[in-house]
Amino acid sequence: MLIASLSMPEQVTLTLSALILLSSFLLLAQVRVDSLINTFALQGLLLFSATLAIAFISGKYDLLISAALTLGLKVIFIPSLLRRLIIRLDIHREIEVLVKPSLVMLFGGGLVLFSYYVSLPITELSLLSTRNTIAISLAVVLIGMLMIISRRKAISQVIGFMSMENGLFFAAVVSTFGMPMVVELGIAFDVLVAVILFGVFFFHIRAEIGSLDTDRLNRLNEVDK
Amino acid sequence: MTGWIFALVQTLCVVLFAPFLAGWVKWVKCKLQNRQGPAPWQPYRDLLRLSRKQVVLADVASPIFRAAPYIVFGATVVAASVLPIVSTQLPTAALADVIVLVGIFALTRFFLALAGMDVGTSFGGMGSSREVTLSSLAEPALLMTFFTLAMNVSSTNLSSAVSHLAQANFTLAPSLIFSFMALLLVAVAETGRIPIDNPATHLELTMIHEAMILEYSGRHLLLMEWASMLKLTLYSILIVNLIVPWGVAMTMEPKDVAFAAITVLGKLMALGILLAVSETSQAKMRLFRAPQYLGMAFILSLLGMMSHIILEVR
């Protein structure tokens, strides 16, 4: 068994990455809008701890800046922004009916297997102790995409998009111990701007069709009703 | 030879201890809810009372109905004899591995469901159908959990799994964490505890286990009740010995065995308190949400197996 031969921080990193995968599945299963946002914040928190652990293992302390960015943006700022948004849109008590939840969950499990096989040749190239988590980060990206496909409410699609970004960030952290700081800052602010834009879009969508259900977007409307 | 005698004594002790654990959970639960509560040994009195009562059988009851309590109780006792409880060096450990254990539980469930339908009352059939639905969802998760465990310790034998886990250095294996979470969820569902079934109710809308044994009386009911308490004890032992295996004796030395017996007893009591707390703090689920709950258990066990393959090997 290989994991017993790793050091404790490395074991912690592997466990955290498994928990990040679990939080992706939790996002997939969540029906209440407010608990969806809380789960997203939890995923951010796990990502933050994983980044800290990797900074500790690799000795690259500039990863601490990324960790701080993750904590500030994905755990505190974006969830609180979304929370305020759903209260203003008055959808914080709404429950989204999932379409075939168990089928979607099984599909998610299949995606994990798929990303494992896809990333096998990539992990062969690396000698890092965290190389096996590349499959996990790919799976998080794909599950975020699955969430965008399978959900109807615009807000859950946005959270799926955010969790895709979490997966990409995690991939960068585990496979190359962080991106160049310029790229990282750029992406962080892109996400920030995206969330604010999504907030504006929510109000527009609701003003147009009276709800945030994106399935109703494909109905044709007369211009002047 | 002493090993076999020891195994027999141990099985007997567990069978005799089972009502106490059930009573203990009930007592703690009552204390948590600010109620007086019956003493922890109340189940013994109940069983004694049942043993003195006359058996009343329906006219249409078939021999299966009469045989089922003996089969259910006997199979559960056999399951108790193969678990490593205080020592991993038992001759009975070689008799059965985890897959056989799941099979034995499936056997008891099969006869429970048959007995529920035998007399032909509507409640019995309803309880059987619910039990079979839930177990068909719980069993894959349980088996997957055991497969992950077997991959980790390279054996399907419970004794070698426990001794491997107890002797290994402390490792934070994600696969084991996920499998144990799944095991906890499945154990709650399989022993008929609160989020899935309520052991204290006779409310027709919610009952599962009670509905199946509604037609039993006298010593038949005694065996059925005792078997269900024993099942709770077995799952608890499985949980405490797999999740916190420290303290289980690796030898047959009297000193080690005595220490192990006290440790296991303490761990079971602690688990009983945990169970009571969790039952007090949550409400029973609607039956239609149970598949989601067990689906979560399945996903957890699936993630456990995949994180073993992806993260831990190589």
Side-chain angles (χ1 to χ4, degrees), chain A residues 1-2 4 11 15 123 132, chain B residues 152 171-172 178 310-312 314:
Chain A
M1 201 165 88
L2 185 97
Q11 287 179 18
T15 308
T123 49
N132 292 337
Chain B
N152 264 295
T171 37
L172 207 60
F178 285 149
I310 296 175
L311 292 174
E312 293 171 12
R314 294 175 353 91

Side-chain angles (χ1 to χ4, degrees), chain B residues 211-231:
Chain B
M212 282 187 294
I213 61 172
L214 207 58
E215 289 296 314
Y216 278 110
S217 54
R219 59 173 189 279
H220 291 158
L221 183 59
L222 172 137
L223 288 177
M224 285 297 198
E225 292 281 0
W226 203 345
S228 94
M229 293 173 191
L230 192 55
K231 198 175 178 191

Side-chain angles (χ1 to χ4, degrees), chain A residues 1-4 8 11-12 14-15 17-18 21-22 25-26 105 109 112-113 116 123-124 131-133 135, chain B residues 152 164 170-174 177-178 181 292 296 298-300 302-303 306-314:
Chain A
M1 201 165 88
L2 185 97
I3 190 157
M8 204 37 158
Q11 287 179 18
V12 170
L14 290 188
T15 308
S17 64
L21 187 59
L22 175 67
F25 275 96
L26 288 179
M105 291 295 256
V112 180
L113 273 183
Y116 172 58
T123 49
E124 296 292 335
R131 63 178 186 265
N132 292 337
T133 49
Chain B
N152 264 295
H164 187 283
F170 180 74
T171 37
L172 207 60
I177 295 174
F178 285 149
M181 291 200 297
Q292 257 172 318
M296 196 66 225
F298 182 74
I299 286 292
L300 276 172
L302 189 74
L303 278 181
M306 286 198 284
S307 53
H308 179 76
I309 296 170
I310 296 175
L311 292 174
E312 293 171 12
V313 199
R314 294 175 353 91

